[in-house]
Amino acid sequence: MNSIRQVPSRVKSKRTETNLGAEREHFERQQLSSISKAINSTETPVKEKHARRIILGTHREKGAFTFWSYALGLPLHSSAILSWKFCHVLHKVLRDGHQNSLQDCMRHHSSIVETGVMWGNLRDRHGYGQLVSLYAKLLITKMEFHTKHAEIRTNLEATDEVFERTVGTDINNVFQLTVEVFDYMDAELRVAEGVLRQLNTSIAISTMTSGQCRLAPLIQVIQDCSHLYHYSVKLLFKLHACLPADTLQGHRDRFLDQFHSLKTFFNKARDMLYFKRLIQIPRLPDSPPNFLRASALAEHVKPMVVIPDEEEPEEPEDDDPEPLIDVSEAPQPSMAPQPQVDIFDQAFGPPNNGFDDRDLQIESLKRELELLRAELERIKGEAQRYITQLKSQINSLEAELEEQRVQKQRALLENEQLRMELEATRRRNAEHESQQSLFSEAEKRSQATEQRYTKLKEKHAELVSNHAELLRKSADTVKMLSATQQTQEEVERTKQQLAFEVERVRQEADMKMEEQKFEMDKLRREMEEKNAEMARIRSALETNTKADQEKSSSLAALQVEKERLMRSVSEKEAELSAARHAHQLKESSLQQERLNREEHLQQKLLEEQFSLLQGTVTEAESIIQDALAKLDDPLHIRCTSSPDYLVSRAEATLGSIDKVKAGHSDYLKNMNDASGLLRALTQFSHLTADTIINGSATAHMAPTDHADRLTENCRGCANKSLEFLRELKSKASLRSADPAAIRAVVQKILRLAQDLRPKGADVGKEELGDLVDKEMASTSAAIEEAVRRIDEMMNQARRDTEGVKLEVNERILFSCTDLMQAIRMLVIASTDLQKEIVEGERGAATIKEFYARNSRWTEGLISAAKAVGWGATQMVDSADKVVLHTGKYEELIVCSHEIAASTAQLVAASKVKADRNSKKLGSLQQASRHVNEMAAKVVASTKTGQEQVEEKDTMDFSGMSLIKLKKEEMESQVKVLELESQLESERLRLGELRKKHYEHYGVPLDTAAAATAAQDNGLRAPSPSPAPGPAAPPSPKPSKPALLKKPALASKPHLPPKAGFR
C-alpha cells in the first residue's frame, strides 16, 4: 500500500479517468443488452433478471435517461408484442425504479400516448393491439397521478401519516382525490379484463408462453390494485364522515362496480397456475364495506400482496453479470501508449530488469478485492433473501393479526346481537305482563276519560274566563296608557313651572341690578352737587382769601367726605358683582336640577313604556301558545272551518302584521310612546291565534297533502310569532325584531286556503237554463258554419287543383262534410232527448228551476256542447290548412279523434237522466255510432290521401361503398335516437298537459294519473259513472275513454264544471 501512495497523483488521475470511462461503457453496453433481451418481438414473458438489471441501472444513474435513450430507438410501431413488452418494462421501471424515473418518463409522455392511440386503431393477428392501447392509457394515468401527488410513491406504498397528509382536511380535495383514485383503478381493471378476455376466447392458457406473455404484467396490476382498493375505502369513509349520503350515491355505485370487478379478477388470477409461484393474491371480503356505518372502518382489512422469494434458473448468457461497482483492470502495459511507459520508467526507473514488485502487490490486492467483492455480493444476496423472507413472514403475521381483529370484531358484534336479543326477550316478557294488566286498566282509563272530560269542560270555562280577563287587562292597559299620558302632562307642567321660576329669578336679578344702577346714579348726582359746591367755594376763595383761611377746615372735612363717598361707591360695586355671581350660580344650579329631573322623568317614562310592552308581549305569547296547543289537542279534531273564512282571517292577520311593523318603527323612533305598538300587538296576537286555530280546523276537512302542509305552516306561524315576541321582550334584540318571517308563513297559509276553495263558476242558478239553450244553439250554428266553409273550400279546391291532389282534397272534404252532417243529427237527437227529460222530470217546476236544481248535470251538458262546437270549428280550420298545403294531415286526424270523444261526452251527459226504454235515447245512440263511423272515415281518407300525395324516395344503396354505408347507417341511427328522444319529451309534455287539465276541473290527482297512464298505454278505461262530471282532457287516440271538454272558438268558457255530479 505504501508503494501505491508513492505513485504520482497525475498518474492516478489518468488511471481513474480510464477506469470510469470503461465502467460507463460497460454499464451502457450491459443496459443495451438487457433492454434488447427484455423488449423484443418474441411472444414470451419478460425475464425478471433483465428487468431487474434495467431497474438497478435507474438507481445507479439516478434516473431513466439511459433507458429512454435506447427505448426511443425501438420499433414500437412495427410489432404489437414489442410494444406490449415495452409497456411492461416501463411499468416495472415506474414502480421499482429510481424516484427520478417519473420525471424522465413524463418527458416522453407524448410518445406513449401516440403508441397507445396507434395500436388502438389497428388490429394485429395476435390481439395485442387493443391491450397495448389499454396499457398505454394505464401508464399515462399512473404518471399523471403520481406527478400531481408526489408524496405517494409510484409503487403506491405510503404510510397512514403520509396518506393523511396528502389527503388533507379540505373536503373538496378529498372529493377530487377520490375521483382520481377511481379513474386509476378503472385503468388497471380495464387492462386486467382485456387480458383475461383474450385468454378466455383463445387457445392460450397460463402455462404456455403466449399466455404468460399476456399475464406477466398483471403482477404489477395486482400490486397496484391492492393499494388503490385500500385508499378508496379510506377516502370514502372520510367523505361519508363529512358529506350527506345522498351526495355520495354515485361514488358508492362506482366503488361497488370496481369491488365486484376486482374480486372477480383476483379470483380468476388466484386459480391460474402461472400466478401460484409468483405472487400471493389477497382475498377480498364477501361483501363491500358499509360506508353508511362509521364503525365499519374498523372491520376493513388492508389486502396484502406477497411476492415469494424464488430465484429464476440461471441460463448461460454471453454477457457478464453486472457488478454493482466496476473494478475492471487498468489497461495492460502492452496496450498503454509508449510515451507514458517511458516517462514512468524515466521517473522511477525499472528495477529488476523492468519488472517491479509493486506490480505484483497491486495484482494480488486486486485479486483479493475481487474475492471480497464477490463475497460481499453473496452476503448481500443472502441478506436480501432473508429480508424478503422476513417481509413475507411479517405480511403473513399482519394478515393473521388483521384476521384476528376481524374475528374479535365479529365476536363483539355477535355478543352485542345476543345482548340485544336478550333485551328484546326481556321487553317482550314485560310487554306480556303489561298486556295482562290492560284489561284491569281499561276501566280505570274509562273513568279517567270521564274525569278528563270534566276537567276539559272546566278548562274550557277557565279559558273563557281567561279571555274575559284578557279583555279586562286590555282595558287596564288602555288605562295605563292614559295614566302614562297624564304623567307626560305632569312632566310638561313641571317643565313650565321650572321655566316660570327661572324667569322670576331672572326678573328679580334684573330688578336688583336696576336698584344698584339707581343708587349709583344718585351717588353720581351727589358727587356732582359736591363738585359744584366746591367750585362755588373755590370762587368764593378766589374772591375772598380770607374766606379761604376760614374755610380751610371745612375744605379738609369735605375732602374726608369725598374719600368716604368713593369708598362707599367701590363697596357698592363689589356688592353688585357678588350679587351677579350669586345669580349666575343659582341659575346654573336650577338649570342642572331641571335637567336631572327631566332625565329622571324621561328614564322612568321609558321604563314604564317598556314594562307595558313586556306585559302586552307576555299576554300575546300566552294567546299564541294556547292556539299552538290546540293543534295537538285531540278535542280540536272535531272542529272544522271553511277555506273562505281562513282566507279572511289570513288577510286580516297580514294587515295586523303591517300595523305591528309600523308600530315597531314608530316606537323605535320615539320610545316615550308605545301605545301604537301595544294596540297593534294586541290585535296581532288575537288574529294570529285565530288564523292558526282556523287553519288547523280547515286542515281537518282538506286532502292529506294539503292538510299536512297547512298544519305545518300553522305550526311554523306560531313558532315564528313566538320568536318575534321573544325578540320584542329583550332590549338587546328589540331593534332587530322583524315580522317578515311571520308574513311569509301567513302568505303560505293564505295560498293554501285559496287552493282549497271549491272551483266553480259565478254564474247564477237561474241563468243555467238559458245557458244550456244558448250553448246548444251555438253548437248548431258552429256546425252550420263548418258545413258552409267546407263547401267553400270544395269549390276553391276544384278551381285551384287538379289530378291526384284534387281527388285527395275532394275525398277529405266529402268525409268532413259527412262527419258534420252526422254531428248535426247528433245535436238534434241530443236536444230532443233533453227536452223529453225536462218535460218528464220537472213536474210543477219551471224549466229554469229544473236546470237550477240539477246544476251539475246542466254544467255537463254545457261542457259537452262547447266541446262539440269547438271540435267542429277546429276540424274546419285543419281541413282548410290541409287543402291549402299549409297544415299537417296529423292535425286533421287529431281533430277527428277530438270530435269523436266530444260527441261521446255529449251522449254520456244526455243519457244520464234519460229513460232506458226511450226511443229518443236509441236515436241518440245511433247518431253517436254514426258520428264515430264518419270520424273513422275522415281518418282513413286523410291517411290514404297522405300516402298518395307524399313522395317516397327509392332507397338505392347499390353505389355506396362499405365505409359510406356504415356512415349512412350511423347517421340514420343518430336520427332515430334523436326522434325517439323528441317523442319521449313530447309524451312527457302531453302527460303534464293532461294532469294540468285534470287539475283545472277538480279531478283528483290519483284518478288523473291513472287515466293518463291508461291513455298513454292505449288502454280503454272503464265507462264513466251515470253522473256526468267534468270533461277529462282529450287524447289524440280514437280509443279515448273519458269525456272531452274544450271551449268554443268564439269565446272561452266562463263556466267551468264542478268536480262531479250529485
Side-chain angles (χ1 to χ4, degrees):
M1 294 301 292
N2 294 330
S3 61
I4 293 177
R5 290 193 186 97
Q6 294 173 359
V7 178
S9 59
R10 179 169 55 84
V11 179
K12 287 184 179 180
S13 62
K14 289 184 178 181
R15 292 183 179 181
T16 303
E17 291 175 0
T18 305
N19 292 339
L20 290 176
E23 183 180 353
R24 180 65 185 176
E25 182 180 357
H26 178 75
F27 168 73
E28 292 177 353
R29 185 173 61 254
Q30 198 170 37
Q31 286 291 304
L32 176 61
S33 175
S34 300
I35 292 172
S36 61
K37 290 180 181 180
I39 306 174
N40 51 47
S41 58
T42 306
E43 195 172 7
T44 57
V46 177
K47 289 187 178 181
E48 188 65 27
K49 59 183 178 181
H50 300 318
R52 189 185 303 114
R53 288 177 181 174
I54 296 172
I55 293 169
L56 290 174
T58 63
H59 285 281
R60 179 173 180 175
E61 67 173 358
K62 295 181 175 55
F65 177 78
T66 303
F67 169 76
W68 277 106
S69 64
Y70 292 125
L72 291 176
L74 295 174
L76 300 178
H77 297 270
S78 62
S79 173
I81 299 175
L82 183 69
S83 300
W84 174 254
K85 297 174 78 172
F86 164 74
C87 291
H88 183 195
V89 174
L90 180 58
H91 196 176
K92 281 179 168 290
V93 169
L94 286 172
R95 275 190 56 85
D96 303 326
H98 194 269
Q99 58 183 1
N100 294 334
S101 301
L102 178 62
Q103 286 78 12
D104 294 336
C105 293
M106 284 300 294
R107 296 189 184 96
H108 304 280
H109 180 279
S110 58
S111 301
I112 302 173
V113 173
E114 182 182 353
T115 302
V117 172
M118 185 201 72
W119 284 111
N121 297 327
L122 297 178
R123 295 184 180 273
D124 62 311
R125 60 189 182 87
H126 298 286
Y128 281 92
Q130 295 299 321
L131 296 181
V132 171
S133 177
L134 295 174
Y135 211 162
K137 291 178 182 178
L138 168 59
L139 295 175
I140 294 300
T141 303
K142 185 179 184 69
M143 290 190 297
E144 291 176 350
F145 179 85
H146 291 289
T147 302
K148 185 176 181 181
H149 305 285
E151 298 86 355
I152 302 177
R153 298 172 58 186
T154 51
N155 58 2
L156 291 171
E157 292 181 358
T159 62
D160 292 340
E161 293 79 8
V162 174
F163 184 71
E164 290 295 333
R165 187 169 60 252
T166 303
V167 171
T169 57
D170 189 358
I171 195 63
N172 296 321
N173 296 337
V174 179
F175 194 92
Q176 181 63 28
L177 181 59
T178 306
V179 174
E180 293 173 358
V181 170
F182 283 161
D183 294 340
Y184 200 163
M185 178 72 84
D186 285 337
E188 300 275 1
L189 291 176
R190 280 195 291 270
V191 174
E193 290 172 358
V195 171
L196 295 178
R197 190 185 307 112
Q198 287 196 7
L199 290 179
N200 292 336
T201 57
S202 64
I203 306 176
I205 57 176
S206 63
T207 57
M208 300 178 64
T209 57
S210 59
Q212 292 177 359
C213 184
R214 291 178 171 88
L215 291 174
L218 296 189
I219 296 175
Q220 284 71 42
V221 173
I222 293 171
Q223 291 175 319
D224 289 347
C225 287
S226 64
H227 293 289
L228 291 175
Y229 169 76
H230 176 63
Y231 295 155
S232 61
V233 171
K234 295 189 70 174
L235 287 171
L236 280 177
F237 272 112
K238 193 176 185 66
L239 284 175
H240 279 79
C242 302
L243 295 177
D246 296 340
T247 307
L248 302 173
Q249 181 62 43
H251 279 51
R252 289 198 300 275
D253 295 340
R254 190 173 182 185
F255 176 81
L256 186 62
D257 295 339
Q258 291 183 353
F259 174 80
H260 292 303
S261 300
L262 183 62
K263 187 174 182 180
T264 304
F265 166 47
F266 279 5
N267 291 337
K268 288 183 179 180
R270 196 181 296 108
D271 296 336
M272 291 184 179
L273 184 62
Y274 175 72
F275 292 111
K276 290 185 180 299
R277 65 181 183 84
L278 296 177
I279 188 172
Q280 292 182 9
I281 302 173
R283 293 184 180 272
L284 296 182
D286 296 334
S287 59
N290 184 7
F291 299 108
L292 302 179
R293 185 167 55 88
S295 60
L297 179 60
E299 303 173 6
H300 169 65
V301 180
K302 180 180 179 181
M304 303 296 295
V305 178
V306 180
I307 304 295
D309 184 20
E310 191 170 318
E311 297 182 354
E312 294 183 356
E314 292 292 336
E315 296 180 2
E317 294 188 8
D318 297 335
D319 57 341
D320 297 331
E322 179 190 8
L324 291 177
I325 301 174
D326 192 1
V327 290
S328 58
E329 296 181 1
Q332 298 294 330
S334 59
M335 299 295 294
Q338 186 65 30
Q340 292 183 4
V341 176
D342 295 339
I343 293 172
F344 187 84
D345 292 340
Q346 291 175 4
F348 298 98
N352 298 329
N353 296 325
F355 189 79
D356 196 353
D357 293 337
R358 290 174 294 183
D359 294 334
L360 296 176
Q361 293 178 0
I362 291 171
E363 291 296 331
S364 62
L365 290 173
K366 284 183 179 179
R367 285 193 296 272
E368 291 177 1
L369 184 62
E370 288 293 336
L371 293 175
L372 292 174
R373 187 174 286 112
E375 183 67 18
L376 179 62
E377 290 295 328
R378 185 180 62 78
I379 293 172
K380 286 184 178 179
E382 292 179 357
Q384 188 66 30
R385 284 196 297 274
Y386 290 150
I387 291 171
T388 306
Q389 291 176 359
L390 291 174
K391 284 184 178 179
S392 62
Q393 291 178 4
I394 290 171
N395 291 335
S396 61
L397 290 175
E398 287 181 352
E400 292 177 1
L401 180 60
E402 291 295 333
E403 186 176 358
Q404 292 294 332
R405 289 178 181 173
V406 172
Q407 291 179 358
K408 177 183 177 181
Q409 189 69 22
R410 289 177 181 171
L412 292 174
L413 291 175
E414 291 176 358
N415 187 15
E416 184 67 20
Q417 290 177 357
L418 292 175
R419 189 181 63 79
M420 292 173 66
E421 290 178 359
L422 180 59
E423 291 293 334
T425 304
R426 290 176 179 175
R427 285 196 298 271
R428 285 197 296 269
N429 293 334
E431 289 175 358
H432 180 68
E433 293 175 357
S434 63
Q435 286 176 359
Q436 291 179 355
S437 61
L438 286 178
F439 179 75
S440 59
E441 292 180 358
E443 295 180 356
K444 296 180 181 179
R445 288 181 181 176
S446 61
Q447 295 175 0
T449 303
E450 293 177 359
Q451 295 177 359
R452 192 179 298 110
Y453 178 71
T454 304
K455 290 180 179 179
L456 288 174
K457 288 178 68 178
E458 295 176 354
K459 184 67 176 178
H460 180 264
E462 183 181 351
L463 290 175
V464 172
S465 62
N466 287 338
H467 183 66
E469 182 65 24
L470 289 174
L471 293 177
R472 287 194 296 273
K473 288 183 178 180
S474 178
D476 294 339
T477 303
V478 174
K479 292 180 181 179
M480 293 174 68
L481 287 173
S482 62
T484 305
Q485 293 176 356
Q486 292 176 1
T487 305
Q488 290 180 350
E489 293 175 358
E490 291 178 358
V491 171
E492 293 295 333
R493 287 195 297 270
T494 305
K495 289 180 180 179
Q496 294 175 1
Q497 291 175 0
L498 290 173
F500 178 74
E501 290 179 0
V502 171
E503 186 66 25
R504 184 174 57 79
V505 171
R506 187 179 295 110
Q507 290 177 359
E508 290 178 355
D510 293 339
M511 291 175 64
K512 288 183 178 180
M513 287 181 69
E514 290 178 357
E515 290 178 355
Q516 295 292 336
K517 287 180 180 179
F518 178 75
E519 291 180 358
M520 288 181 68
D521 292 338
K522 183 179 178 181
L523 292 173
R524 191 177 294 109
R525 284 193 300 272
E526 290 178 356
M527 288 179 66
E528 290 176 355
E529 292 176 356
K530 295 294 183 182
N531 291 330
E533 187 176 357
M534 287 177 67
R536 286 192 303 269
I537 293 171
R538 284 193 188 97
S539 62
L541 286 173
E542 290 176 357
T543 58
N544 196 355
T545 56
K546 292 180 180 181
D548 291 337
Q549 294 175 358
E550 295 175 357
K551 299 286 184 179
S552 59
S553 58
S554 61
L555 182 59
L558 288 175
Q559 188 68 29
V560 172
E561 183 67 20
K562 179 182 176 182
E563 292 177 358
R564 184 182 63 78
L565 290 175
M566 291 296 292
R567 284 195 302 272
S568 64
V569 169
S570 61
E571 289 175 359
K572 292 294 183 180
E573 287 178 352
E575 290 178 1
L576 181 59
S577 62
R580 286 178 180 174
H581 183 65
H583 171 69
Q584 290 177 357
L585 290 176
K586 187 175 183 180
E587 186 177 2
S588 61
S589 62
L590 290 174
Q591 185 70 17
Q592 184 66 28
E593 181 180 359
R594 181 173 62 83
L595 291 175
N596 292 337
R597 188 172 181 183
E598 286 180 356
E599 184 177 358
H600 176 69
L601 292 174
Q602 184 73 15
Q603 185 65 27
K604 185 176 180 181
L605 178 61
L606 291 176
E607 291 176 357
E608 288 177 355
Q609 293 292 320
F610 189 72
S611 63
L612 288 174
L613 177 60
Q614 285 184 327
T616 305
V617 168
T618 304
E619 294 299 329
E621 284 181 342
S622 63
I623 292 171
I624 294 176
Q625 287 173 354
D626 180 66
L628 180 61
K630 281 186 170 57
L631 294 179
D632 301 324
D633 191 355
L635 296 179
H636 186 62
I637 295 176
R638 297 183 181 180
C639 298
T640 59
S641 179
S642 65
D644 292 330
Y645 185 73
L646 179 58
V647 168
S648 66
R649 293 295 87 196
E651 291 174 348
T653 304
L654 290 176
S656 68
I657 291 173
D658 293 335
K659 293 181 181 179
V660 169
K661 189 171 183 180
H664 180 252
S665 178
D666 295 338
Y667 178 68
L668 291 179
K669 293 178 181 177
N670 182 16
M671 302 186 75
N672 295 331
D673 184 13
S675 57
L677 181 57
L678 296 180
R679 287 192 295 270
L681 284 176
T682 303
Q683 184 186 19
F684 164 76
S685 60
H686 287 285
L687 289 176
T688 304
D690 201 3
T691 301
I692 294 169
I693 294 172
N694 284 283
S696 176
T698 305
H700 296 159
M701 300 293 291
T704 304
D705 187 19
H706 283 74
D708 292 340
R709 286 189 289 165
L710 188 56
T711 304
E712 189 64 24
N713 283 321
C714 290
R715 197 181 305 277
C717 178
N719 293 331
K720 295 295 183 182
S721 300
L722 291 175
E723 289 178 5
F724 173 69
L725 293 175
R726 281 194 294 270
E727 290 177 352
L728 290 179
K729 289 176 67 176
S730 175
K731 290 184 178 180
S733 60
L734 177 61
R735 293 187 176 275
S736 62
D738 189 8
I742 308 174
R743 170 183 289 278
V745 180
V746 174
Q747 286 176 348
K748 290 181 182 178
I749 296 174
L750 178 60
R751 286 195 292 271
L752 288 173
Q754 290 173 349
D755 293 339
L756 289 174
R757 278 180 168 176
K759 298 180 175 65
D762 297 328
V763 181
K765 298 291 185 179
E766 63 276 6
E767 299 177 13
L768 287 176
D770 297 336
L771 193 59
V772 171
D773 297 336
K774 187 184 298 182
E775 289 298 332
M776 296 300 289
S778 176
T779 303
S780 300
I783 294 172
E784 294 292 338
E785 178 66 17
V787 173
R788 185 186 63 77
R789 289 183 60 188
I790 290 174
D791 292 337
E792 292 178 358
M793 285 188 287
M794 181 73 73
N795 298 330
Q796 184 69 25
R798 288 171 178 170
R799 289 195 301 269
D800 299 337
T801 57
E802 60 182 4
V804 177
K805 292 186 178 179
L806 177 60
E807 179 183 355
V808 170
N809 293 337
E810 286 182 347
R811 188 185 302 116
I812 293 174
L813 293 176
F814 279 142
S815 61
C816 291
T817 303
D818 295 339
L819 178 58
M820 292 297 109
Q821 296 295 338
I823 294 173
R824 179 191 298 168
M825 298 304 297
L826 177 69
V827 172
I828 294 173
S830 176
T831 305
D832 295 337
L833 180 61
Q834 175 188 346
K835 291 179 180 179
E836 179 182 341
I837 293 170
V838 172
E839 292 298 329
E841 294 187 8
R842 71 185 180 89
T846 63
I847 296 177
K848 291 185 178 180
E849 292 175 351
F850 174 80
Y851 281 127
R853 187 170 64 246
N854 300 277
S855 59
R856 300 279 183 168
W857 176 71
T858 305
E859 289 170 359
L861 282 176
I862 294 171
S863 174
K866 285 184 178 181
V868 172
W870 179 84
T873 306
Q874 288 296 112
M875 182 169 212
V876 172
D877 293 339
S878 301
D880 190 9
K881 292 179 182 178
V882 170
V883 171
L884 296 176
H885 305 289
T886 59
K888 299 180 181 179
Y889 289 92
E890 288 80 5
E891 295 179 1
L892 200 56
I893 294 173
V894 172
C895 288
S896 301
H897 294 165
E898 292 285 345
I899 289 176
S902 301
T903 54
Q905 176 189 356
L906 183 60
V907 172
S910 300
K911 66 186 288 189
V912 169
K913 291 185 173 296
D915 187 8
R916 294 185 178 180
N917 299 323
S918 174
K919 294 181 179 180
K920 294 184 178 180
L921 176 60
S923 300
L924 178 63
Q925 292 175 343
Q926 182 64 30
S928 175
R929 287 192 289 270
H930 186 54
V931 168
N932 290 333
E933 292 174 359
M934 292 301 101
K937 183 177 177 182
V938 171
V939 173
S941 61
T942 302
K943 291 183 178 179
T944 304
Q946 184 180 9
E947 292 175 356
Q948 291 180 354
V949 172
E950 292 180 354
E951 297 179 0
K952 295 185 178 179
D953 298 332
T954 57
M955 300 181 183
D956 185 13
F957 306 117
S958 58
M960 293 186 179
S961 62
L962 180 60
I963 302 299
K964 184 67 175 178
L965 284 172
K966 190 65 177 177
K967 183 178 180 181
E968 291 292 329
E969 179 184 357
M970 292 177 65
E971 292 178 353
S972 179
Q973 289 178 356
V974 170
K975 200 167 190 179
V976 167
L977 292 175
E978 291 176 353
L979 293 175
E980 287 178 352
S981 177
Q982 294 178 4
L983 178 61
E984 187 66 21
S985 302
E986 288 299 320
R987 281 177 175 169
L988 292 174
R989 184 171 179 269
L990 179 59
E992 293 298 325
L993 289 173
R994 288 173 177 169
K995 290 180 182 178
K996 197 65 180 177
H997 202 165
Y998 278 109
E999 292 176 5
H1000 275 305
Y1001 299 115
V1003 180
L1005 290 178
D1006 51 353
T1007 307
T1012 303
Q1015 291 168 5
D1016 289 340
N1017 295 329
L1019 302 175
R1020 191 172 187 85
S1023 59
S1025 60
S1035 169
K1037 300 182 180 180
S1039 59
K1040 183 166 167 44
L1043 299 179
L1044 300 177
K1045 175 172 175 36
K1046 289 289 183 179
L1049 183 63
S1051 62
K1052 294 185 179 179
H1054 59 280
L1055 185 62
K1058 305 288 180 164
F1061 292 114
R1062 295 183 181 178

